[in-house]
């Protein structure tokens, strides 16, 4: 376990990086980073084709003899849950950081930018020993304690059998009752068939963001001669000759197929998908995701029908402009 004296300075440096570059994206606007429908009723408006009929306002419809729907606004207090994959495959990195460090940065970015508006944040930490649950609470002391627990999550020894991502997702769905935001941070290397259905159950009730963490060596192999490969999940070793162009091509094709299957599984589950790379600018990638989600949210809002021109006021005396 990493000590508090070691974790605290690292977390403070991370907080400074995040708040300098991302501050202001969420403040006072829950729909800024993760736009989507809320649950508090707002004003009614005339029904338009494509509106959700479950939001019909029958009282206003009866009074006006015209179908009306009730718009929704975001809750004032948002409950956020993170599911962090800390299994052995996350203890890997060949670029600026390991995948587990990038996962911590993603969780911290969400936590630092939401805790100041009174939101509650909790976490499920998946590792070789099972799933550790940290309850959702408000306040900076709770957030720092949560991030320290993430920072100090022990590494899973290679070959240790642990819960699958799908099992942890199902457990999270049973715990989280209040509608809110769920962020799943993982490399999603488990077979999509083991987690897709459970993730779909989460998206039926919550807004879900899937953060896929990737290292460049998981996508392509460099030509570096004889390379010893170790499967972190099983501990199996294998030596391969990366001088073979055919081998490197087959590896890249298999990796692309695997990532395509992950992307398709997340899309079918209905989760918003953000891919972060250990060799990339993860802050910039997060901002681009923010802006993209905002644009999509604006396009999804139907335009209100015109109500006609306002009645003209009285003509000024003389009938002309002053």
């Amino acid at each position: 376990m990493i000590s508090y004296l070691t974790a605290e300075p690292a977390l403070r440096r991370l907080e400074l990086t995040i708040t300098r570059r991302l501050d202001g994206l969420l403040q006072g606007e829950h729909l800024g980073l993760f736009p989507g429908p809320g649950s508090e009723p707002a004003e009614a408006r005339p029904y338009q084709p494509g509106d959700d009929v479950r939001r019909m306002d029958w009282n206003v419809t009866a009074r006006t003899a015209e179908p009306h729907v009730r718009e929704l606004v975001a809750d004032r207090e948002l409950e956020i849950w993170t599911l962090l994959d800390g299994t052995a495959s996350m203890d890997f990195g060949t670029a600026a950081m390991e995948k587990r460090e990038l996962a911590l940065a993603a969780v911290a970015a969400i936590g630092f930018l939401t805790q100041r508006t009174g939101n509650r944040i909790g976490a499920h930490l998946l590792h070789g020993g099972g799933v550790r649950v940290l309850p959702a609470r408000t306040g900076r002391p709770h957030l720092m304690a949560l991030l320290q627990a993430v920072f100090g999550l022990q590494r899973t020894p290679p070959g240790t059998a642990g819960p699958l991502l799908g099992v942890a997702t199902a457990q999270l769905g049973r715990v989280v009752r209040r509608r809110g935001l769920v962020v799943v941070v993982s490399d999603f290397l488990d077979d999509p068939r083991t987690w897709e259905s459970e993730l779909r159950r989460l998206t039926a009730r919550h807004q879900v963001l899937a953060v896929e963490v990737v290292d460049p060596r998981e996508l392509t192999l460099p030509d570096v001669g004889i390379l010893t490969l170790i499967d972190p999940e099983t501990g199996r070793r294998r030596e391969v000759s990366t001088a073979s162009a055919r081998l490197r091509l087959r590896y890249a094709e298999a990796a692309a197929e695997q990532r395509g299957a992950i992307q398709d599984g997340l899309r079918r589950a209905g989760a918003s998908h953000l891919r972060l790379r250990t060799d990339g600018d993860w802050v910039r990638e997060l901002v681009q995701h923010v802006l993209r989600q905002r644009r999509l949210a604006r396009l999804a809002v139907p335009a209100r029908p015109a109500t006609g021109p306002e009645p003209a006021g009285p003509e000024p005396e003389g009938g002309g402009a002053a």
Side-chain angles (χ1 to χ4, degrees):
M1 178 68 69
I2 298 177
S3 69
Y4 174 83
L5 294 177
T6 303
E8 181 70 7
L11 290 175
R12 289 190 180 278
R13 289 194 299 270
L14 183 58
E15 179 183 15
L16 185 60
T17 299
I18 292 168
T19 53
R20 275 182 173 177
R21 299 186 62 182
L22 294 182
D23 200 8
L25 286 175
L26 276 184
Q27 304 311 311
E29 185 184 4
H30 292 317
L31 300 186
L33 181 53
F34 308 104
S39 59
E40 295 295 324
E43 63 180 4
R45 62 169 174 79
Y47 172 86
Q48 294 183 2
D51 285 337
D52 189 345
V53 295
R54 293 174 295 181
R55 294 196 283 114
M56 292 291 295
D57 190 322
W58 298 110
N59 291 331
V60 177
T61 299
R63 288 198 307 269
T64 62
E66 181 183 358
H68 277 69
V69 293
R70 180 71 63 174
E71 291 188 324
L72 300 175
V73 297
D75 299 322
R76 291 189 176 275
E77 179 182 308
L78 187 66
E79 185 164 286
I80 304 165
W81 283 90
T82 61
L83 171 56
L84 177 64
D85 183 354
T87 55
S89 65
M90 297 289 286
D91 299 332
F92 176 75
T94 62
M97 61 183 73
E98 290 187 342
K99 291 193 293 182
R100 64 182 290 138
E101 294 174 310
L102 182 54
L104 168 61
V107 173
I110 295 165
F112 286 134
L113 293 175
T114 57
Q115 61 92 17
R116 284 174 291 177
T117 56
N119 296 318
R120 295 156 51 89
I121 183 169
H124 282 218
L125 308 181
L126 170 63
H127 56 92
V131 179
R132 180 182 177 186
V133 179
L134 304 176
R137 297 193 179 99
T138 61
R140 178 182 171 82
H142 166 69
L143 174 62
M144 295 303 290
L146 183 149
L147 293 178
Q148 185 184 354
V150 175
F151 191 91
L153 194 64
Q154 293 184 346
R155 295 176 181 269
T156 301
T160 302
L164 295 176
L165 180 62
V167 174
T169 304
Q171 179 177 334
L172 178 63
R174 291 191 295 268
V175 171
V176 181
R177 298 297 183 182
R178 182 177 178 180
R179 178 181 173 87
L181 171 68
V182 175
V183 182
V184 182
V185 186
S186 172
D187 52 16
F188 294 96
L189 292 183
D190 290 349
D191 188 333
R193 291 173 296 182
T194 65
W195 49 256
E196 181 183 326
S197 60
E198 299 299 339
L199 196 61
R200 188 184 301 115
R201 291 188 179 94
L202 274 181
T203 59
R205 178 170 177 79
H206 308 281
Q207 194 169 0
V208 177
L209 171 65
V211 180
E212 180 190 2
V213 182
V214 181
D215 187 85
R217 291 288 75 81
E218 295 174 322
L219 305 177
T220 58
L221 277 180
D223 184 359
V224 292
I226 302 298
L227 188 65
T228 301
L229 302 179
I230 304 174
D231 186 339
E233 300 286 352
T234 64
R236 293 176 56 189
R237 291 171 171 261
R238 184 173 180 180
E239 290 190 348
V240 298
S241 174
T242 59
S244 170
R246 181 180 179 185
L247 172 67
R248 296 197 304 272
L249 176 61
R250 289 173 56 193
Y251 182 93
E253 291 175 345
E257 182 179 353
Q258 181 186 49
R259 294 300 163 182
I262 293 172
Q263 183 173 341
D264 291 343
L266 294 174
R267 185 184 67 251
R268 288 191 298 266
S272 177
H273 182 198
L274 170 62
R275 178 177 292 171
L276 300 180
R277 292 175 52 124
T278 59
D279 62 341
D281 185 344
W282 66 270
V283 178
R284 179 177 56 82
E285 292 167 352
L286 179 58
V287 171
Q288 289 178 344
H289 181 79
V290 169
L291 298 177
R292 183 165 56 251
Q293 292 300 311
R294 282 181 172 178
R295 287 195 297 268
L296 292 176
R298 285 196 296 268
L299 293 174
V301 176
R304 297 189 181 185
T307 56
E310 296 183 0
E315 285 282 337
E317 292 186 9

